[in-house]
């Protein structure tokens, strides 16, 4: 299995450097219920505007309910199904469109759901698991097939499991799996005291 530590210009917490999004998952290794609950607990403690916790996560564990897991997998796009089917756990993260406290529009709900998702990725890494977020899914199918009420927007699908060797993947995915990680230079996206003034 491959550690693909982030190549950074400044010191980074180890868990952040270790987090990446593999596609090679070990289909034979189940994820224990305690670890699944731990990952959920991490998402629960994410920050949110007014403490509203606008996120909802549906958890599909092949070992716990294979029929529901298979229905969830069918909501992914074909490209993602080709590799994600090896991950034993799949989550769908959805965002509430309104605040619980007053029913008014919550324009930060999607942002907060992203924060909860990042907590989930990092907790997975801390447990020796890997998590791969996806945008390639059919949100309408998720809403229809799982009877999601009005007012929730599907934001992310997350495959979780133990990493496997890249050679389990077919050629469509193997190149990305073994490629070096890359990010744009810091100054391209972080500015000092104004717009497009690269921080240094």
């Amino acid at each position: 299995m491959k550690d693909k530590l982030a190549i950074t210009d400044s010191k980074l917490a180890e868990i952040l450097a270790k987090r990446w999004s593999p596609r090679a998952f070990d289909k034979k290794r189940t994820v224990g219920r305690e670890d699944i609950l731990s990952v959920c607990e991490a998402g629960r403690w994410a920050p949110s505007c007014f403490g509203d916790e606008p996120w909802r996560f549906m958890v599909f564990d092949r070992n716990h309910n294979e029929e529901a897991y298979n229905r969830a997998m069918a909501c992914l796009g074909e490209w993602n199904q080709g590799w994600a089917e090896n991950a034993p756990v799949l989550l769908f993260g959805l965002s509430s469109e309104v605040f619980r406290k007053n029913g008014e529009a919550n324009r930060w709900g999607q942002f907060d759901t992203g924060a909860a998702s990042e907590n989930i990725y990092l907790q997975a890494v801390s447990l020796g698991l890997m998590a791969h977020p996806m945008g390639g899914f059919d949100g309408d199918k998720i809403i229809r097939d799982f009877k999601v009420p009005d007012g929730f927007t599907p934001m992310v699908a997350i495959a979780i499991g133990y990493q496997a060797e890249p050679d389990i993947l077919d050629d469509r995915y193997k190149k990305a799996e073994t490629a070096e990680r890359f990010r744009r230079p810091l100054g391209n996206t972080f500015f000092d005291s104004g717009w497009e003034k690269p921080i240094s």
Side-chain angles (χ1 to χ4, degrees):
M1 278 169 285
K2 188 167 175 61
D3 253 348
K4 287 174 63 167
L5 295 178
I7 301 166
T8 64
D9 296 330
S10 300
K11 188 174 172 69
L12 196 63
E14 183 181 5
I15 194 166
L16 295 173
K18 287 176 69 172
R19 190 223 65 78
W20 66 290
S21 300
R23 291 184 177 90
F25 286 93
D26 189 338
K27 190 170 188 173
K28 296 176 183 174
R29 289 188 72 182
T30 61
V31 177
R33 203 68 179 173
E34 186 176 325
D35 286 346
I36 292 172
L37 292 174
S38 177
V39 163
C40 294
E41 188 73 18
R44 176 182 175 219
W45 285 98
S48 61
C49 184
F50 295 123
D52 195 76
E53 303 170 55
W55 50 78
R56 305 293 186 276
F57 287 90
M58 290 188 285
V59 181
F60 302 95
D61 175 3
R62 184 193 293 121
N63 192 52
H64 180 70
N65 185 331
E66 187 170 11
E67 185 272 333
Y69 172 91
N70 289 337
R71 285 195 298 129
M73 190 59 61
C75 293
L76 298 183
E78 182 180 352
W79 169 264
N80 286 329
Q81 285 184 34
W83 61 265
E85 65 183 3
N86 288 327
V89 178
L90 185 65
L91 276 66
F92 290 151
L94 301 94
S95 173
S96 175
E97 296 165 7
V98 298
F99 286 112
R100 284 184 293 124
K101 70 175 189 171
N102 57 20
E104 292 183 4
N106 181 359
R107 77 175 198 85
W108 299 276
Q110 295 181 4
F111 176 84
D112 294 341
T113 301
S117 299
E118 178 72 0
N119 275 17
I120 285 169
Y121 314 149
L122 295 177
Q123 184 67 9
V125 171
S126 79
L127 296 169
L129 300 163
M130 297 301 272
H132 186 128
M134 296 167 270
F137 56 83
D138 186 335
D140 292 336
K141 184 172 173 60
I142 291 171
I143 289 170
R144 184 176 61 249
D145 289 4
F146 295 99
K147 298 179 173 54
V148 176
D150 290 344
F152 288 89
T153 303
M155 297 304 303
V156 66
I158 308 169
I160 295 179
Y162 291 96
Q163 191 182 2
E165 296 293 344
D167 59 12
I168 71 155
L169 297 169
D170 67 33
D171 291 339
R172 291 179 296 168
Y173 311 111
K174 202 176 290 185
K175 183 177 179 183
E177 191 77 359
T178 55
E180 188 173 289
R181 294 173 65 187
F182 171 80
R183 289 293 186 276
R184 295 164 64 194
L186 193 68
N188 285 22
T189 50
F190 288 82
F191 307 142
D192 190 354
S193 306
W195 188 253
E196 289 193 344
K197 297 175 181 176
I199 194 164
S200 60

